[in-house]
Amino acid sequence: MSKAQSSVAQTPSQTTLTSDSFVVGSRTFSSRLLVGTGKYKDLTQTADAIAASEAQIVTVAIRRTNIGQNSDEPNLLDVISPDKYTILPNTAGCFDADSAIRTCKLARELLGGHNLVKLEVLGDEKSLYPNVTETLKAARVLIDDGFEVMVYTSDDPIVAKELESMGCVAIMPLGSLIGSGLGLLNRHTLSLIIENANVPVLVDAGVGTASDAAIAMELGCDGVLMNSAIAYAEHPVLMAQAMKHAVWAGRMAFMAGRMPMRKMATASSPQTGYFFQ
C-alpha cells in the first residue's frame, strides 16, 4: 500500500471524501486543494472563488498583499478570515534566502506566531524557476527557527529528498512554470518524487485546467496548489468549483487503483454464453 493510501484508516471502498484526511506538519485538513489570493479583479471575487473551492489552506504573498502591514489599505484578512481558513504565507517575489527568511518572520509577527509557511526562492524574474541553492539555505534557517516549511522546488528527486531530510513538512515541485497553465510536463520525475517521499507532495505551479489537477492527484500527489488557473479563468468561481471536483476525482481514482494499460483490446463482457450462437 502506498504512502498516500496508508494515511486513510478505512479501506478505499469505505472511504468518504471527508474521512480522507490530509496531514501537513502538525495540522490536519480534509481538503487537498490549496488556493492563492492574487490576480483576481477585486477582493469580493477573491472571497467568492475561494469559498467555491472549499479549500482550507489559502496562500498569501506577504510581499505583495496587505494583511495588516498597511493600515490605510484594504486588508485581505477582512474577506479571508484566519478563523475560517489556514493562512499560508508565501515568499513569492524573493530571489535570495535572506529576503525569504525576513518575509517569513514578518508573516509570523503579523499572524500572531503562525509558523506554517510556503517557502519559494526564485531564480529570475522571467522564468520564476526555483533557485534551489538559495531555497536549501533558507529552509535550513527557517526550520531551525521553528517554522513548518512547505517548499516550492524543482522536479529534481534528489533535491526533493534533501529538503525532506532537512525537515520540510511538504515538498511542492512545479508541474510547469508559474502562471503558464501548461499542465504537468514532468509526470515521470513527479512520480519519482512521490514514490520516495515520506511527507506530502503537492504540485505547485503550472496547472491550467481541471484535468491537470486530476492528473496530479491520479499520480499520487497529496494535494495541488493553484492560483492563476482559477483567477485567470473567464469565470473564476465556476473554475474554482471545477478544481474542487477535479481534485476529489483524481484522489479517489488514485485510491481505487486504475486498470492496467494494455496494448491490445480486451473485451469488457464474457466471450461465451451468447444468446445467439
Side-chain angles (χ1 to χ4, degrees), residues 47-195:
D48 290 345
I50 291 173
S53 75
E54 295 188 15
Q56 295 171 306
I57 303 176
V58 178
T59 190
V60 177
I62 299 300
R63 291 169 63 91
R64 299 171 179 163
T65 308
N66 181 39
I67 61 169
Q69 308 98 305
N70 304 311
S71 58
D72 57 344
E73 296 180 7
N75 187 335
L76 178 68
L77 299 186
D78 290 339
V79 296
I80 307 298
S81 171
D83 294 331
K84 181 176 181 180
Y85 301 100
T86 293
I87 304 301
L88 179 64
N90 72 62
T91 60
C94 293
F95 293 87
D96 59 78
D98 289 342
S99 61
I101 292 165
R102 289 196 303 271
T103 300
C104 288
K105 290 182 177 180
L106 172 61
R108 182 167 62 183
E109 180 179 339
L110 291 169
L111 295 170
H114 180 86
N115 71 334
L116 181 67
V117 295
K118 178 197 164 190
L119 171 64
E120 60 179 78
V121 186
L122 306 176
D124 63 69
E125 295 186 9
K126 183 176 181 180
S127 72
L128 302 181
Y129 203 81
N131 182 324
V132 170
T133 303
E134 292 294 298
T135 298
L136 289 164
K137 188 188 304 182
R140 169 53 60 204
V141 172
L142 291 169
I143 291 166
D144 289 346
D145 194 24
F147 284 93
E148 292 188 327
V149 178
M150 302 174 68
V151 59
Y152 168 67
T153 184
S154 66
D155 62 328
D156 184 329
I158 306 303
V159 171
K161 199 63 184 177
E162 179 64 21
L163 288 163
E164 178 185 332
S165 298
M166 292 171 62
C168 291
V169 299
I171 308 301
M172 308 177 73
L174 76 170
S176 53
L177 295 181
I178 290 175
S180 68
L182 291 172
L184 276 61
L185 302 183
N186 47 5
R187 299 184 196 182
H188 179 64
T189 48
L190 288 174
S191 294
L192 292 176
I193 292 172
I194 293 164
E195 289 168 8

Side-chain angles (χ1 to χ4, degrees), residues 212-230:
D212 299 329
I215 289 169
M217 298 304 294
E218 289 171 5
L219 286 175
C221 283
D222 296 277
V224 182
L225 188 151
M226 65 184 73
N227 185 184
S228 300
I230 297 176

